[in-house]
Amino acid sequence: MPADERFAVRRDRARASVPRPLAAAPALSGVPLPDGLALRGRLATGARRPEKPRGSGRGGSAPRTPRTGRGGGPRRTYERARRAWDRPLTAYYVILGSSLLITVLGLVMVYSASMIKALDISKPSTYFFGKQFLAAVIGGALMLVAARMPVKLHRALAYPILMVTVFLMVLVQVPGIGMSVNGNQNWLYLGGPFQLQPSEFGKLALILWGADLLARKQDKRLLTQWKHMLVPLVPVAFMLLGLIMLGGDMGTAIILTAILFGLLWLAGAPTRLFAGVLGSAAAIAFLLIRTSPNRMSRLACMGVSEPDPEGGCWQAAHGIYALASGGWFGSGLGASVEKWGQLPEPHTDFIFAITGEELGLAGTLSVLALFAALGYAGIRVAGRTEDPFVRFAAGGVTTWITAQAVINIGAVLGLLPIAGVPLPLFSYGGSALLPTMFAVGLMIAFAREDPAAKAALAMRKPGVRWKTMRRRVKKRPSGER
């Protein structure tokens, strides 16, 4: 064999002994190759293994979606807020937090708005604040007791509270026992500087008694008949309204009427029946306003921007002046001008105007936000329960606080007539503060009675959490934890 042919044969054998890359051997692509040869082929071509998606381990879970950042945008923020609101203890915390914030801010504003009034009657500047602080302490104890009481005990107290309240409201009309304050014969003298207004407790009595009555009738399926829905709820409510109107306090009567309508609405009153009761109440209110010059003058002061030359609408006009001079952030605590004798009742009915003057629009909107949160949490408690008594009572308390706040703030803004009702948990007045704080404790108790809230509160106890952690930890064979 010539030398050239021998060299060609050796070259071909050398080439055949070197493994070719997979991409260079299309003819062998359908034939399975040995592991070593396939690995050398991948190394030779520089190919990489396809990466597995994260989260696709043994469990076969889906790959994670990439995060767009810590904020995640408005949609992610909305989803977080919605999940936080759907937690079992959200209503419990909102009711407790908003009511306490309103009460504390009210104490601050009562001191700021009443110091000039106290000095004017030759009292210390902390005179009204001290009385309100004492009422807040007693009311806080009542709220704590009401929050810890079971629902059955609240139902058991409905009739005793109603009977005691009716007795005190009758006692007010006895000459020599009842007192008249600002033209209203609705007060009892307790000795010293302390007085009591039983009509404020009539709101709580109507709610507890009416909720228990409607709950028992719903259990017996009697609320489908209009006579069982109205009797005896409406006659007892009219009796309370009559006792209140004997003293001339139409503002409290309006709140009591709103509570009655709220209970009828929650009981499922038909539209014709509801409209009939509402029409009757409106006709009675029109007659009462028409026959009273004082009430007619209050109605004529809606929307005024300056007082009459004869001095009419003085309070309404100066309430608008106080709000207008506050600006965005107010003149500062204690720097109000209207409380120096210009604005009547600056620490009671028109404390919202002083708040607007000293804390500005930011302060007034904060108060409105707190009341809105309290009302919405009450609606949530009433809407999520399966107990009819809890639904009626929580709805009645929410109607009471919300309606009274709207009437008071609407009067200060000039949108409604001046009804003479205090701002709940905020204005000066122990007779109004005590039953309101007890009613807030009632809603806290209802929020705690929810099964999911009970489970969440039980998990927060240290003993339960420690036992749960011990159950979850398993011992290793070596005895280590």
Side-chain angles (χ1 to χ4, degrees), residues 132-453:
Q132 185 74 359
F133 182 78
L134 178 60
V137 172
I138 300 175
L142 290 177
M143 184 177 70
L144 181 61
V145 171
R148 292 293 180 176
M149 287 169 55
V151 177
K152 292 182 179 180
L153 186 55
H154 284 295
R155 298 189 66 170
L157 291 177
Y159 279 86
I161 291 178
L162 178 65
M163 290 188 291
V164 172
T165 302
V166 171
F167 173 75
L168 293 177
M169 292 174 69
V170 172
L171 201 63
V172 165
Q173 305 304 324
V174 177
I177 299 178
M179 291 182 57
S180 178
V181 178
N182 295 330
N184 294 335
Q185 184 77 18
N186 284 319
W187 296 84
L188 288 175
Y189 179 67
L190 300 180
F194 300 104
Q195 301 168 354
L196 181 67
Q197 188 177 4
S199 57
E200 292 290 341
F201 293 86
K203 307 169 187 177
L204 179 63
L206 179 61
I207 290 172
L208 288 176
W209 176 80
D212 178 68
L213 174 69
L214 295 175
R216 286 188 286 108
K217 289 194 173 187
Q218 181 171 337
D219 292 338
K220 298 178 181 180
R221 299 181 180 180
L222 297 176
L223 291 181
T224 55
Q225 306 176 23
W226 66 269
K227 58 181 180 180
H228 285 287
M229 185 176 294
L230 295 181
V231 180
L233 178 62
V234 175
V236 171
F238 280 3
M239 177 189 67
L240 295 175
L241 289 172
L243 291 174
I244 293 173
M245 289 306 300
L246 283 177
D249 189 2
M250 190 171 181
T252 305
I254 293 175
I255 304 302
L256 208 69
T257 305
I259 293 173
L260 174 62
F261 289 154
L263 291 175
L264 290 176
W265 181 271
L266 292 170
T271 306
R272 290 180 297 175
L273 181 62
F274 195 83
V277 177
L278 182 61
S280 302
I284 296 174
F286 176 77
L287 291 176
L288 292 174
I289 293 174
R290 190 69 177 175
T291 56
S292 174
N294 183 26
R295 299 187 186 113
M296 285 296 298
S297 62
R298 291 187 178 187
L299 186 63
C301 291
M302 289 178 55
V304 298
S305 58
E306 58 183 11
D308 296 337
E310 299 179 356
C313 300
W314 181 272
Q315 188 176 19
H318 280 272
I320 297 296
Y321 294 164
L323 290 172
S325 61
W328 289 98
F329 300 102
S331 57
L333 280 174
S336 171
V337 176
E338 292 293 333
K339 68 183 179 183
W340 287 78
Q342 300 295 326
L343 180 64
E345 304 298 333
H347 59 300
T348 55
D349 300 346
F350 271 69
I351 193 172
F352 189 76
I354 302 299
T355 304
E357 185 180 6
E358 295 188 350
L359 302 183
L361 182 64
T364 56
L365 290 181
S366 300
V367 174
L368 290 176
L370 289 174
F371 275 109
L374 182 60
Y376 193 76
I379 294 174
R380 169 177 168 149
V381 171
R384 292 197 174 190
T385 182
E386 297 181 357
D387 189 345
F389 173 78
V390 174
R391 181 170 66 254
F392 293 135
V397 172
T398 305
T399 303
W400 166 17
I401 296 177
T402 305
Q404 189 165 328
V406 168
I407 291 174
N408 178 275
I409 296 174
V412 174
L413 295 176
L415 304 176
L416 295 174
I418 300 175
V421 296
L423 191 59
L425 301 171
F426 201 83
S427 296
Y428 169 78
S431 296
L433 184 62
L434 295 181
T436 307
M437 295 195 74
F438 186 90
V440 171
L442 195 71
M443 286 202 298
I444 293 175
F446 295 157
R448 290 169 57 94
E449 286 294 325
D450 184 72

Side-chain angles (χ1 to χ4, degrees), residues 67-83:
R67 295 184 178 181
T68 58
R70 291 187 177 183
R75 183 175 181 83
R76 188 178 182 85
T77 304
Y78 169 76
E79 291 296 330
R80 288 179 178 177
R82 186 179 62 84
R83 287 196 300 268

Side-chain angles (χ1 to χ4, degrees), residues 4-23:
D4 295 338
E5 293 181 2
R6 287 198 302 267
F7 178 77
V9 171
R10 292 175 182 174
R11 185 186 59 190
D12 294 336
R13 289 178 180 177
R15 289 180 177 178
S17 62
V18 177
R20 295 183 179 182
L22 295 179

Side-chain angles (χ1 to χ4, degrees), residues 46-175:
R48 298 181 179 178
R49 289 186 179 182
E51 295 183 358
K52 293 183 179 181
R54 295 182 178 179
S56 59
R58 295 183 179 180
S61 59
R64 297 179 182 178
T65 55
R67 295 184 178 181
T68 58
R70 291 187 177 183
R75 183 175 181 83
R76 188 178 182 85
T77 304
Y78 169 76
E79 291 296 330
R80 288 179 178 177
R82 186 179 62 84
R83 287 196 300 268
W85 180 251
D86 288 337
R87 292 176 181 175
L89 293 176
T90 299
Y92 169 76
Y93 287 127
V94 170
I95 294 174
L96 179 62
S98 59
S99 60
L100 290 180
L101 286 175
I102 293 172
T103 306
V104 172
L105 184 58
L107 287 173
V108 175
M109 293 310 305
V110 163
Y111 175 67
S112 177
S114 65
M115 61 173 64
I116 305 302
K117 180 73 174 179
L119 294 174
D120 187 47
I121 60 175
S122 302
K123 298 289 184 180
S125 60
T126 58
Y127 175 73
F128 293 104
F129 171 77
K131 293 175 63 177
Q132 185 74 359
F133 182 78
L134 178 60
V137 172
I138 300 175
L142 290 177
M143 184 177 70
L144 181 61
V145 171
R148 292 293 180 176
M149 287 169 55
V151 177
K152 292 182 179 180
L153 186 55
H154 284 295
R155 298 189 66 170
L157 291 177
Y159 279 86
I161 291 178
L162 178 65
M163 290 188 291
V164 172
T165 302
V166 171
F167 173 75
L168 293 177
M169 292 174 69
V170 172
L171 201 63
V172 165
Q173 305 304 324
V174 177

